[in-house]
Amino acid sequence: MNNNLQPSGHDPTDVAAANANTTDPLYQRLWQRLAPFGQTHVLRWWHELNTDQRVELAAQIEALDLDTLQRLLQEPIEAQRTTLDWNQVCCPRVLRPASTLEEWQRQRRAFAVGEDALRSGRVALCLVAGGQGSRLGHDGPKGTFPIGPITQRSLFQLHAQKILALSRRYQVPLRWYIMTSPDNDAATREFFIQHNYFGLSADQVKFFVQGTMPAVDKDTGKLLMRTKWQLALCPDGHGGFLTALRTEGILDELQQLGVQWLFYFQVDNPLVKVGDPLFLGQHITSGAEISLKVVRRRHAYEPLGQVVCYQGSHYLVEYTEIPPEWQERRDSSGNFLLNAGNIAVHIFDLAFLQRATEHVRALPYHRAIKKVPFIDSDGEYRDPYEANALKWERFVFDVLPWAQRVLVVEIERAEEFEPLKNASGEHSPETVRAALCELYARWLEQAGLRVPRDSSGRVTVAIEISPLVALDAADLRDQVEHLHELHGPLLLEEPLNESPATSSDSLS
Ligand code: UTP
């Protein structure tokens, strides 16, 4: 990359000439701030802007951390990756599903501890939903995407109804914190208002906005502009959650409320067991500061970050940063040696978060090359076909090495993980709806119902079960015990033992 930061078509003398009649002291101040970094081109249209637009642009410029941006532009790319000496890497200890009576009993005890934590109001839930969802390409925040196999209920509705069901089960209004970005905050809040918070009370739900990082032209390092008075700012990654918890006053609020554990999840996985009592109990009884749920890998090059141990700490390594020989390495039983794929469901100890967020500036930035719309030097809007911009994100899992005690829990992928990432192919609406149908079908089968499947074992009817009816197979068992067979699509919106369907012995 050209790091001398002189823009083509944005010569500082052009900018100065265009604004020659500007006497505004604010303009002078901004110029002086930008000039040492070669970024004065963002003032190109100052003379055309009205007062509100000038104020907006000035605020964005003042908020920039230009020293950090300069460093990120000049740093070699390796400095923005997790670089480990792979000779010293080993596999983490993973808590696997119970296979002995003793383990099963331990799980039952952990479950009770988790339930107690929920019941006593010491758990809050935090959803990060500030991403741009560029791969999915949905018009609106990703959480508004209609995903229910029959009702098209949105991702937000599914999460909200799980929280409502848990709140009812444990007789406590669980607090739900939702991180948005400046781009999707208003639309997200509006969606919740339109849907009456999906039955939750408005004061149970709190939105907070994450920070941003500027996008720059990938060839020149110049700040990109979205309009003549707005920089092209991108959300600063899910790691922005750690900064925003502090800057938005969430940590203080949680402390005042007596919350000890924060259950973190991401918007795109509708299978997530929000507030899972077992996971909470395992976290609490193990004395961990951070817990993570992981899955086994499907194949050597599955794009899934892996948890590893390195020099006595835990690290999450992006799949792109794992050397091929490690991707393929297997143990004597034929299992992948690295087999703890992160599904981004975590529990954080609040005391740990208090400490970690004090040092959040030390978290690395990761560089990404993306398509970012911008205005060119003629002020024309451009929506590029190809990646044109560099942007930087922080990742929430980069705090892992800061924790003294980490718990890694393996779960069954089909039960808890199928994220919505792409418009088609892997992790798309099609695969996510299919995964939901399969999950609901297994719950019904565990309750004794026969569900139609094709010769390859796939469910052949659409099934959707509201979280208000059941959060898991156990919830459903009592409700469908009189039923034997499913013939057609099934939508359960109301608890069955309160609806007329219980009088029949089959559902169609
Ligand atoms: P992804 O890494 O899948 O990114 O986010 P994304 O922005 O949603 O989608 P693409 O990459 O543009 O297609 C995983 C989770 O982290 C949240 C997302 O909302 C999602 O829940 N996230 C991501 C944030 O909250 N903020 C961010 O800056 C980035």
Side-chain angles (χ1 to χ4, degrees):
M1 184 191 354
N2 165 12
N3 277 332
N4 77 5
L5 304 185
Q6 287 306 309
S8 53
H10 280 301
D11 189 299
T13 49
D14 288 351
V15 179
N19 294 298
N21 297 328
T22 305
T23 53
D24 188 349
L26 180 57
Y27 172 83
Q28 303 302 336
R29 198 171 79 217
L30 296 173
W31 178 280
Q32 269 158 25
R33 183 161 158 62
L34 293 162
F37 301 95
Q39 300 283 10
T40 48
H41 64 283
V42 300
L43 298 173
R44 177 77 181 77
W45 294 281
W46 189 263
H47 59 286
E48 291 179 24
L49 307 184
N50 65 31
T51 307
D52 287 350
Q53 291 168 338
R54 286 180 177 186
V55 168
E56 186 171 348
L57 179 57
Q60 290 193 343
I61 294 171
E62 306 269 24
L64 288 176
D65 180 351
L66 288 161
D67 289 311
T68 300
L69 180 65
Q70 179 93 324
R71 174 177 62 77
L72 292 172
L73 281 166
Q74 289 173 345
E75 226 167 41
I77 192 145
E78 293 69 37
Q80 290 162 32
R81 291 166 172 243
T82 315
T83 38
L84 308 178
D85 170 3
W86 283 85
N87 294 317
Q88 295 183 50
V89 167
C90 56
C91 301
R93 207 178 141 253
V94 176
L95 187 59
R96 304 207 186 275
S99 60
T100 63
L101 180 63
E102 200 192 332
E103 285 168 357
W104 184 76
Q105 285 169 334
R106 205 175 302 136
Q107 273 200 4
R108 285 197 40 146
R109 286 196 294 274
F111 189 89
V113 170
E115 287 203 301
D116 189 48
L118 286 161
R119 209 174 278 121
S120 60
R122 286 174 295 153
V123 178
L125 311 158
C126 184
L127 172 72
V128 292
Q132 293 174 302
S134 47
R135 285 168 289 172
L136 181 64
H138 170 58
D139 187 18
K142 202 191 256 190
T144 65
F145 191 90
I147 200 65
I150 296 175
T151 62
Q152 308 290 313
R153 90 183 65 216
S154 63
L155 286 162
F156 279 140
Q157 179 171 1
L158 254 171
H159 297 317
Q161 290 186 321
K162 287 183 191 183
I163 293 168
L164 182 56
L166 272 184
S167 297
R168 287 179 180 165
R169 189 196 272 176
Y170 296 112
Q171 312 254 295
V172 62
L174 287 164
R175 309 274 306 185
W176 187 17
Y177 293 84
I178 302 177
M179 184 173 86
T180 60
S181 70
D183 280 348
N184 70 16
D185 183 65
T188 304
R189 288 174 198 251
E190 184 55 34
F191 193 72
F192 274 76
I193 291 169
Q194 267 171 16
H195 292 90
N196 214 6
Y197 292 83
F198 306 102
L200 293 165
S201 77
D203 53 12
Q204 250 178 294
V205 184
K206 176 151 187 169
F207 300 93
F208 64 105
V209 185
Q210 71 176 108
T212 55
M213 279 293 282
V216 302
D217 181 287
K218 77 177 173 41
D219 298 319
T220 64
K222 292 294 172 187
L223 289 166
L224 290 173
M225 299 199 69
R226 175 187 291 185
T227 65
K228 290 180 178 178
W229 64 95
Q230 288 168 320
L231 303 172
L233 298 174
C234 300
D236 59 356
H238 41 64
F241 146 84
L242 296 160
T243 317
L245 277 183
R246 190 167 271 278
T247 56
E248 302 298 296
I250 308 295
L251 278 179
D252 291 343
E253 185 175 312
L254 291 171
Q255 196 167 21
Q256 278 158 21
L257 290 166
V259 169
Q260 279 175 261
W261 300 286
L262 196 60
F263 187 102
Y264 166 105
F265 62 113
Q266 301 193 334
V267 75
D268 47 26
N269 177 21
L271 269 65
V272 57
K273 284 189 182 169
V274 181
D276 178 4
L278 174 60
F279 187 41
L280 278 162
Q282 288 168 323
H283 172 89
I284 296 166
T285 52
S286 70
E289 290 170 316
I290 304 182
S291 294
L292 303 91
K293 286 194 177 187
V294 298
V295 291
R296 290 178 179 232
R297 281 193 286 165
R298 280 185 173 143
H299 56 83
Y301 293 95
E302 183 178 8
L304 208 53
Q306 295 292 319
V307 186
V308 301
C309 284
Y310 179 67
Q311 298 181 338
S313 299
H314 286 76
Y315 283 77
L316 203 296
V317 191
E318 283 278 68
Y319 65 97
T320 46
E321 296 173 3
I322 303 175
E325 63 275 18
W326 270 91
Q327 301 268 32
E328 288 169 17
R329 198 172 283 179
R330 293 175 188 261
D331 64 17
S332 53
S333 325
N335 295 315
F336 289 115
L337 210 55
L338 293 185
N339 221 354
N342 176 37
I343 66 160
V345 175
H346 311 312
I347 298 171
F348 291 99
D349 228 53
L350 207 71
F352 171 77
L353 282 177
Q354 294 278 13
R355 285 197 307 280
T357 54
E358 275 174 22
H359 306 288
V360 85
R361 282 184 68 84
L363 281 181
Y365 278 108
H366 299 256
R367 181 188 303 207
I369 303 186
K370 294 265 174 156
K371 256 172 36 138
V372 175
F374 66 105
I375 54 162
D376 65 16
S377 52
D378 297 323
E380 295 296 321
Y381 179 80
R382 303 267 172 208
D383 193 357
Y385 292 114
E386 288 181 354
N388 60 317
L390 290 180
K391 66 173 200 173
W392 289 268
E393 292 190 342
R394 280 187 163 136
F395 296 158
V396 67
F397 46 71
D398 279 332
V399 287
L400 262 187
W402 299 0
Q404 301 278 332
R405 289 175 308 281
V406 173
L407 176 70
V408 184
V409 179
E410 182 183 299
I411 51 94
E412 192 55 57
R413 180 195 293 253
E415 301 291 312
E416 304 190 31
F417 182 57
E418 180 56 32
L420 179 64
K421 299 283 183 193
N422 304 307
S424 59
E426 258 206 323
H427 303 317
S428 63
E430 197 185 342
T431 65
V432 173
R433 289 193 187 107
L436 282 167
C437 284
E438 291 290 340
L439 176 73
Y440 299 140
R442 283 193 302 279
W443 291 359
L444 291 168
E445 286 165 341
Q446 283 169 36
L449 226 82
R450 257 197 314 277
V451 173
R453 289 181 178 275
D454 66 16
S455 56
S456 52
R458 273 190 223 106
V459 179
T460 53
V461 290
I463 309 174
E464 186 169 339
I465 300 175
S466 161
L468 300 178
V469 173
L471 285 171
D472 51 35
D475 277 350
L476 204 60
R477 206 166 295 139
D478 303 339
Q479 301 187 50
V480 295
E481 58 189 1
H482 323 87
L483 308 172
H484 301 299
E485 188 148 14
L486 180 65
H487 298 296
L490 174 67
L491 169 65
L492 295 183
E493 281 289 7
E494 298 290 332
L496 266 183
N497 40 22
E498 290 167 20
S499 80
T502 32
S503 56
S504 141
D505 73 347
S506 70
L507 287 167
S508 59

